[in-house]
Amino acid sequence: MGKVRVAGFGVSIDGFGAGPGQSLKDPLGKRGPELFQWYFPTRSFREMHGESGGETGPDNEFGRRAMEGFGAFILGRNMFGPAGDDWGGPNWKGWWGDNPPYHTPTFVLTHHAREPIVMEGGTTFHFVTDGIEAALAQAKAAAGDLDVKIGGGVSTVRQYLLAGAIDELHLAQSPVVLGQGESLFAGIDLPGLGFRVTENVPTEQATHIVLAR
């Protein structure tokens, strides 16, 4: 049985994992893309989008690790589409085009039922309406011996942390201060949940911190 991991999760110095005001125009919230300036120039990011070139080094290595070794993903509702009940319209199939970067079964937490969507490249979106435990059970069954990635957003990561379900977190702390947005750890006692820092790698664009139980 694999682990349950959070990986490549951008966070600001003041602890926000997304900016305020997520919308179709601002999928990561206002100023949210500032949390991923470490990732966008890397070779791993460019290859994921079918492009060549890109930077190598620690940021690239952590970016690569953040998408490898997973047999299933779990996403919150707003990670799949803009907030609201209409999923961005009747033909909405996610932010990523016809070939999303997951390439595995991907389970979307929602209160609004929807039939599974089969995409190119091996991604199938399954919509789970009966809670985080049900989604995790389905994801573990789909992943087999591989890991399950809790892909976000902030609310989803917090729910699985508080449920004691996450084994490892990789945070990429960017040198930006958002001031407002979605706070990742407010009210959460990470040492109390058994986490300790196992890696700490600074780069020009981020500090990569891995915590494990």
Side-chain angles (χ1 to χ4, degrees):
M1 180 67 70
K3 296 180 179 179
V4 178
R5 294 195 282 139
V6 174
F9 200 94
V11 64
S12 67
I13 289 174
D14 46 350
F16 295 105
Q22 185 200 43
S23 66
L24 188 61
K25 179 182 177 182
D26 297 302
L28 300 174
K30 297 184 186 304
R31 296 186 61 202
E34 295 180 35
L35 302 177
F36 294 94
Q37 295 305 308
W38 66 273
Y39 188 37
F40 295 147
T42 64
R43 178 172 294 178
S44 58
F45 179 83
R46 293 181 63 85
E47 287 178 347
M48 187 170 66
H49 290 82
E51 301 173 357
S52 61
E55 298 177 3
T56 59
D59 288 330
N60 180 68
E61 176 63 17
F62 276 104
R64 182 189 60 78
R65 286 167 52 180
M67 293 301 291
E68 287 187 352
F70 297 104
F73 287 73
I74 296 175
L75 306 179
R77 164 67 180 82
N78 291 350
M79 282 287 291
F80 177 77
D85 297 348
D86 68 351
W87 299 95
N91 298 317
W92 184 264
K93 296 182 179 179
W95 301 103
W96 312 274
D98 293 331
N99 191 351
Y102 303 108
H103 311 301
T104 63
T106 300
F107 299 87
V108 180
L109 296 164
T110 179
H111 296 296
H112 305 284
R114 186 173 182 177
E115 291 299 312
I117 302 175
V118 180
M119 305 293 289
E120 295 177 10
T123 301
T124 298
F125 292 114
H126 301 272
F127 301 92
V128 182
T129 59
D130 45 356
I132 64 170
E133 292 86 0
L136 185 57
Q138 293 177 52
K140 285 183 173 180
D145 292 333
L146 296 175
D147 293 347
V148 172
K149 181 173 178 177
I150 308 298
V154 170
S155 175
T156 298
V157 172
R158 288 176 56 85
Q159 288 180 69
Y160 279 108
L161 276 173
L162 291 170
I166 293 175
D167 299 305
E168 182 181 288
L169 297 113
H170 160 225
L171 306 174
Q173 187 178 53
S174 294
V176 299
V177 180
L178 292 185
Q180 57 182 322
E182 296 185 51
S183 178
L184 184 57
F185 293 125
I188 294 180
D189 179 358
L190 288 175
L193 292 173
F195 286 98
R196 62 184 180 87
V197 175
T198 59
E199 290 185 72
N200 178 26
V201 180
T203 72
E204 289 187 9
Q205 297 292 336
T207 299
H208 297 277
I209 302 166
V210 178
L211 303 102
R213 297 198 297 165

